[in-house]
């Protein structure tokens, strides 16, 4: 795990094709399914390069029924607590330079499948990411059971995909006003996704925050904007991949039998991890199955890939 890899992977290898039902990516030795809805954004938009080793699968579900309700008062209050906690993180990482890297140490598991294959959910395992601050430097992924991978960013400042990237230098340009942040999400998210607009907004927030350090003012604005998205609800008792108990912000995907859950500590409101859960039976997956599971153990800013804080 400590041996750094050769720089022999072309930038195109690292283009992220995450499926939001399974949070997965095609694997060279597995035949991909034909997805219906896909989050279309370049590599490292959210730093979820852990999914590069998994196969793609999306199950389409006919949409219909009543429109989702606005978030309840309890949901809005929880998101406000999360936003306030984010605001108080100001200065935690000190001054961040362009040539530095965001380090994220996690436990992860992503379901894998393919044409003619049964869905397989690997055991939880360690993943470490080093994501360039400015989008111009080569990052690194070390994942247990996988070959080390250099991450060549193929999103450039101001170019296609930059507006949904999770590089720190992009995140600090996002609005700090909740209304303006909501407008940014509403305008931007559907451009990169075939999803229903409200779901696309919810998913984009997860992509921007999952494997990144978000400046405090922008993080607070993101969560306050989420409080305006219909269909967002609370799960009072949730557990992350590390077994830590918390409370979850969740939304049912209207086009797929799954829901995303963002899990936060009940006392500090710090982000703990994220799960995707099957909300009904489909294919060989049973309702309640956790198809993707992450627990963030540590975030830091370091000077080079492979360096640990």
């Amino acid at each position: 795990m400590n041996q750094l890899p050769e720089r022999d992977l072309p930038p195109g290898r690292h283009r992220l094709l995450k499926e939001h039902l399974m949070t997965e990516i095609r694997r060279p030795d597995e035949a991909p399914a034909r997805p219906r809805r896909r989050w279309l954004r370049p590599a490292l938009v959210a730093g979820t390069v852990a999914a590069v080793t998994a196969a793609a699968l999306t199950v389409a579900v006919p949409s219909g029924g009543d429109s989702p309700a606005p978030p309840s008062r309890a949901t809005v209050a929880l998101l406000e607590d999360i936003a306030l906690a984010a605001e108080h993180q100001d200065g935690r990482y000190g001054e961040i330079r362009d040539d530095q890297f965001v380090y994220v140490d996690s436990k992860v598991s992503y379901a894998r499948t393919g044409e003619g294959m049964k869905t397989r959910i690997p055991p939880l395992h360690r993943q470490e990411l080093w994501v360039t601050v400015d989008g111009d430097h080569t990052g690194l992924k070390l994942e247990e059971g996988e070959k080390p991978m250099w991450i060549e960013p193929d999103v450039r400042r101001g170019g296609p995909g930059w507006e949904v990237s999770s590089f720190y230098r992009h995140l600090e340009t996002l609005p700090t006003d909740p209304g303006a942040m909501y407008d940014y999400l509403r305008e931007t998210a559907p451009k990169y996704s075939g999803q229903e607009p409200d779901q696309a907004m919810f998913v984009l927030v997860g992509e921007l925050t999952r494997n990144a350090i978000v400046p405090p003012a922008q993080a607070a604005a993101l969560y306050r904007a989420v409080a305006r998205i219909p269909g967002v609800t609370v799960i009072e008792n949730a557990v992350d991949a590390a077994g830590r108990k918390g409370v979850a912000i969740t939304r049912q995907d209207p086009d797929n039998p799954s829901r995303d859950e963002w899990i936060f500590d009940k006392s500090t409101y710090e982000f703990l991890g994220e799960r995707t859960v099957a909300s009904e039976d489909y294919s060989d997956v049973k309702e309640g199955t956790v198809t993707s599971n992450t627990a963030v153990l540590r975030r830091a800013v370091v000077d080079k890939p492979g360096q640990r804080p």
Side-chain angles (χ1 to χ4, degrees):
M1 284 292 291
N2 294 329
Q3 183 178 359
L4 298 186
E6 297 293 331
R7 297 173 183 263
D8 58 356
L9 292 174
R13 172 71 181 276
H14 307 302
R15 181 164 296 277
L16 197 58
L17 301 173
K18 173 178 175 285
E19 297 299 340
H20 280 290
L21 175 60
M22 307 293 285
T23 318
E24 297 166 12
I25 293 298
R26 291 187 179 94
R27 187 174 181 174
D29 58 348
E30 295 176 345
R34 292 183 177 86
R36 179 175 182 264
R37 296 186 178 271
R38 172 177 298 159
W39 185 253
L40 299 176
R41 82 278 187 267
L44 295 180
V45 163
T48 48
V49 292
V52 169
T53 60
L57 174 67
T58 296
V59 177
V61 175
S63 58
D66 297 333
S67 299
S72 67
R73 290 184 179 180
T75 302
V76 173
L78 174 59
L79 283 162
E80 179 61 21
D81 286 337
I82 293 169
L84 289 170
E87 285 181 327
H88 292 156
Q89 296 298 315
D90 194 20
R92 179 176 182 176
Y93 299 102
E95 183 178 353
I96 300 177
R97 304 191 313 269
D98 282 357
D99 63 343
Q100 289 183 304
F101 294 82
V102 171
Y103 170 79
V104 183
D105 185 10
S106 305
K107 284 187 174 181
V108 302
S109 175
Y110 302 102
R112 297 180 178 182
T113 192
E115 294 283 356
M117 297 173 55
K118 289 186 176 181
T119 302
R120 181 172 65 87
I121 301 177
L124 287 164
H125 55 279
R126 188 182 188 188
Q127 173 188 275
E128 295 175 280
L129 294 175
W130 287 263
V131 181
T132 172
V133 164
D134 63 2
D136 293 333
H137 295 77
T138 301
L140 176 65
K141 180 185 72 136
L142 297 180
E143 182 174 355
E144 186 179 346
E146 303 288 342
K147 294 181 179 179
M149 179 182 291
W150 289 103
I151 308 300
E152 301 287 352
D154 53 2
V155 177
R156 296 301 177 185
R157 198 175 309 216
W162 180 258
E163 64 180 340
V164 290
S165 69
S166 64
F167 301 124
Y168 186 85
R169 286 294 176 254
H170 169 252
L171 295 174
E172 66 181 0
T173 69
L174 295 180
T176 57
D177 174 76
M181 181 66 83
Y182 180 91
D183 292 341
Y184 154 76
L185 294 169
R186 191 73 179 181
E187 178 182 356
T188 306
K191 296 178 183 178
Y192 290 84
S193 170
Q195 294 168 309
E196 179 270 333
D198 289 335
Q199 180 67 9
M201 294 170 66
F202 187 80
V203 168
L204 178 54
V205 175
E207 297 295 325
L208 293 174
T209 58
R210 181 180 300 108
N211 287 316
I213 289 175
V214 185
Q218 283 80 7
L222 280 168
Y223 292 123
R224 288 176 176 135
V226 170
R228 305 183 183 194
I229 300 175
V232 174
T233 60
V234 171
I235 296 175
E236 291 294 340
N237 297 300
V239 181
D240 75 356
R244 298 173 297 188
K245 296 180 180 179
V247 59
I249 296 293
T250 184
R251 190 177 196 276
Q252 172 65 41
D253 187 333
D255 298 303
N256 290 294
S258 67
R259 66 178 183 271
D260 290 336
E261 300 177 359
W262 308 336
I263 304 171
F264 297 85
D265 185 276
K266 286 187 175 182
S267 299
T268 66
Y269 301 108
E270 184 175 3
F271 178 81
L272 298 179
E274 182 178 9
R275 309 193 314 168
T276 299
V277 182
S279 53
E280 61 182 75
D281 294 351
Y282 67 88
S283 185
D284 62 340
V285 176
K286 299 299 182 182
E287 180 180 354
T289 300
V290 178
T291 56
S292 71
N293 206 3
T294 67
V296 175
L297 305 179
R298 187 171 188 182
R299 300 179 199 251
V301 178
V302 297
D303 290 336
K304 60 184 180 180
Q307 179 184 0
R308 297 182 175 92

